[in-house]
Amino acid sequence: MLDSRLAELARAAPALRVLTAATDLEHYGRDWTRRWTPAPCAIALPASIDEVQAIARWASAQRVALVPSGGRTGLSGGAVAANGELVVSFERMNRVLDFNAVDRTLTVQPGIALEAVHRAAAEHGLIYPVDFGARGSCSIGGNIATNAGGIRVIRYGNTREWIAGLKLVTASGELLDLNRGLIKNSSGYDLRQLVIGAEGTLGFVVEATLKLTDPPPASQVMLFAVPAMDALMRVFGACRSKLHLSAFEFFTDRALHHVVAHGAQNPFSEISPYYVVTEFDAATDTQQQTALDVFEQCVNEGWVSDGVMSQSEAQAAALWRLRDTITESLAPHRPYKNDISVRISAVPAFLDEMSALLTREYPQFDVVWFGHIGDGNLHINVVKPEGLDDTAFIAQCEQVTKQLAAMLHKYGGSISAEHGIGLVKKDYLQSTRSVAEIALMRGVRATFDPLGLLNPGKLFE
Ligand code: 2HG
Ligand code: ZN
């Protein structure tokens, strides 16, 4: 049955590369969540838009579900294929197609890695400012599918601010050219923005035109040791009012413990419960002096107990490593992940309530907090104790997530700030979106994909 359908696909797209070896099914069928057993029917590796269109037409005719696939660094199961779907990997569509100096745009294929986009922009003296730890492996297509955020949102916003246009292959194999790089376009629904963050449920992005911008002035990085949680937001207030920030990230002593065990260097001799990594413009003597003044103020107020300021790019990179490698250092411990957000003004009250909940509910677990506190976005990773099996561990964590979801609902926050809903968070969507909103979202999805073949089961059933 499957063989005959794949034979049909080979007829529809004779040059299409298709893999069916067990190792390939396993490799391409999973993402960084590692929670589901991969079980796709095959892997298609299109090399052109024509081939993606042929796959979509075939899938519609044969009623085969499709799962789009980039770097598979997702943490919500958005790229998991566990139900006989055809994985459509964009890894062969990974080129830069065009640079436009007047528009300051870079047009790329979806399988290109974020880091390759950074390099391509730098070749033209510009930057693509979205950035985060998985830059070397994640793809732009995946970034668009989740509206990826990262460590520079505080200055530059999320992925959606940087997409000038995109081409989309729809469920029926139609090719849409959305927004076409226009800066001003007041002509009805912005379908481009609807597709960004849709987790591959409205069509497959086959080309994206990215906005670029000027590189920032020279910067410095500071690492602060912070003695108490309420001091975190005070440090943020002081830094934000006096410095031009491009990042403000925090992590706890448990996160530091894991990154140091993973090979990073701890510059402090004393342990502190919280740490902040912040980056700011420091191109002039005045800016550098202001940074020292802010540091002094924070120490005098008792909000900071120790600090290090980078004096070279190598030192800045070493400080960033403490933050950038947290996910990687935790991965072997199979953590349960939360990616939540509230408005910045709600962070202090929310942090108090949430830390009381986590202390009460997770007395026996290693709970690691970190994230983009300057954007109101926290990551809570619960490390799986050795010996506890996956199912029992996840079940215990889900009990707490239910309470966390109720708390987020009360604060008007989000159960997924930047990782997407995927399979992992779909039971909690109602904490963030109203019933009426979800009904409209279902209607939108059904309009784009009446047969329900695009990344089914993700976001909602
Ligand atoms: C980060 O901010 C990523 O480093 C990953 O969003 C977060 O591993 C996580 O929970
Ligand atoms: Zn993050």
Side-chain angles (χ1 to χ4, degrees):
M1 170 68 172
L2 176 64
D3 280 352
S4 73
R5 288 191 294 177
L6 289 181
E8 204 47 57
L9 179 59
R11 261 193 292 283
L16 178 66
R17 191 177 297 172
V18 176
L19 309 174
T20 50
T23 47
D24 292 320
L25 301 184
E26 176 161 352
H27 175 70
Y28 289 93
R30 61 157 44 131
D31 65 6
W32 277 7
T33 47
R34 296 281 191 275
R35 202 190 283 184
W36 289 270
T37 308
C41 68
I43 317 300
L45 296 122
S48 67
I49 293 179
D50 284 349
E51 286 190 341
V52 180
Q53 288 180 280
I55 292 168
R57 287 191 206 104
W58 165 84
S60 252
Q62 302 289 332
R63 303 287 196 269
V64 176
L66 302 175
V67 174
S69 183
R72 292 179 304 285
T73 57
L75 299 168
S76 293
V80 168
N83 284 311
E85 306 93 329
L86 179 79
V87 172
V88 182
S89 163
F90 288 96
E91 72 179 29
R92 294 176 73 209
M93 294 176 69
N94 64 353
R95 282 180 306 119
V96 173
L97 299 175
D98 186 38
F99 167 70
N100 189 313
V102 179
D103 293 333
R104 302 182 120 198
T105 55
L106 192 73
T107 299
V108 298
Q109 292 183 308
I112 190 168
L114 177 60
E115 199 166 55
V117 168
H118 291 161
R119 278 198 301 271
E123 278 168 24
H124 300 287
L126 295 169
I127 63 160
Y128 176 70
V130 177
D131 192 19
F132 44 91
R135 63 182 74 79
S137 333
C138 69
S139 72
I140 279 290
N143 291 187
I144 294 172
T146 52
N147 183 28
I151 56 178
R152 305 284 173 193
V153 172
I154 197 169
R155 179 176 293 184
Y156 296 105
N158 298 292
T159 296
R160 73 168 72 254
E161 329 284 340
W162 297 94
I163 306 299
L166 50 85
K167 288 192 181 160
L168 187 80
V169 168
T170 67
S172 59
E174 208 74 52
L175 181 65
L176 307 181
D177 192 358
L178 302 176
N179 198 58
R180 304 182 306 281
L182 297 174
I183 291 172
K184 301 185 94 172
N185 182 6
S186 177
S187 60
Y189 306 134
D190 191 341
L191 300 180
R192 157 195 57 161
Q193 291 296 351
L194 203 53
V195 165
I196 299 167
E199 304 187 29
T201 61
L202 302 182
F204 291 174
V205 174
V206 289
E207 201 174 293
T209 296
L210 313 175
K211 298 181 200 172
L212 305 180
T213 190
D214 290 314
S219 64
Q220 273 183 308
V221 176
M222 270 200 283
L223 174 71
F224 294 127
V226 179
M229 198 187 299
D230 62 357
L232 271 175
M233 293 314 278
R234 295 183 202 275
V235 176
F236 177 54
C239 289
R240 191 160 68 157
S241 65
K242 306 231 174 66
L243 306 175
H244 193 213
L245 298 179
S246 64
F248 192 89
E249 302 276 311
F250 97 112
F251 50 91
T252 57
D253 59 330
R254 290 308 302 162
L256 185 71
H257 163 86
H258 287 284
V259 290
V260 168
H262 197 65
Q265 289 293 322
N266 179 1
F268 297 127
S269 47
E270 305 277 307
I271 292 176
S272 168
Y274 305 98
Y275 299 90
V276 164
V277 177
T278 180
E279 185 161 344
F280 47 86
D281 293 353
T284 63
D285 290 348
T286 318
Q287 284 174 323
Q288 289 175 15
Q289 186 54 48
T290 309
L292 289 172
D293 294 346
V294 170
F295 176 60
E296 207 175 291
Q297 180 202 351
C298 290
V299 171
N300 291 341
E301 296 280 3
W303 303 332
V304 159
S305 56
D306 205 348
V308 184
M309 174 126 49
S310 67
Q311 300 302 334
S312 66
E313 279 190 22
Q315 282 176 13
L319 295 180
W320 264 117
R321 191 169 173 207
L322 296 167
R323 166 64 185 90
D324 263 356
T325 57
I326 299 174
T327 300
E328 192 181 309
S329 72
L330 293 174
H333 306 290
R334 305 182 61 79
Y336 179 90
K337 286 174 183 290
N338 293 283
D339 161 41
I340 58 179
S341 66
V342 292
R343 276 170 298 126
I344 299 173
S345 57
V347 169
F350 179 77
L351 276 180
D352 275 353
E353 210 172 313
M354 189 184 67
S355 74
L357 170 80
L358 298 183
T359 313
R360 190 177 70 234
E361 298 293 340
Y362 284 134
Q364 74 285 31
F365 290 167
D366 181 12
V367 182
V368 183
W369 297 33
F370 58 102
H372 322 280
I373 191 104
D375 311 320
N377 174 193
L378 309 170
H379 297 303
I380 302 148
N381 279 220
V382 187
V383 174
K384 190 174 85 61
E386 271 185 41
L388 186 58
D389 82 45
D390 274 17
T391 319
F393 172 62
I394 290 168
Q396 282 190 45
C397 292
E398 301 269 288
Q399 288 311 315
V400 184
T401 303
K402 274 191 201 129
Q403 298 180 56
L404 194 55
M407 198 182 288
L408 284 164
H409 185 68
K410 188 175 91 184
Y411 279 90
S414 177
I415 193 73
S416 178
E418 57 175 2
H419 296 169
I421 295 292
L423 293 170
V424 173
K425 297 281 142 57
K426 64 181 178 176
D427 290 346
Y428 308 100
L429 188 60
Q430 282 184 21
S431 66
T432 304
R433 300 301 198 104
S434 69
V435 172
E437 255 185 298
I438 295 172
L440 282 170
M441 292 208 287
R442 284 184 189 283
V444 169
R445 186 170 184 169
T447 301
F448 274 79
D449 179 20
L451 300 173
L453 298 175
L454 301 183
N455 221 3
K458 314 295 164 50
L459 201 46
F460 43 73
E461 290 302 333

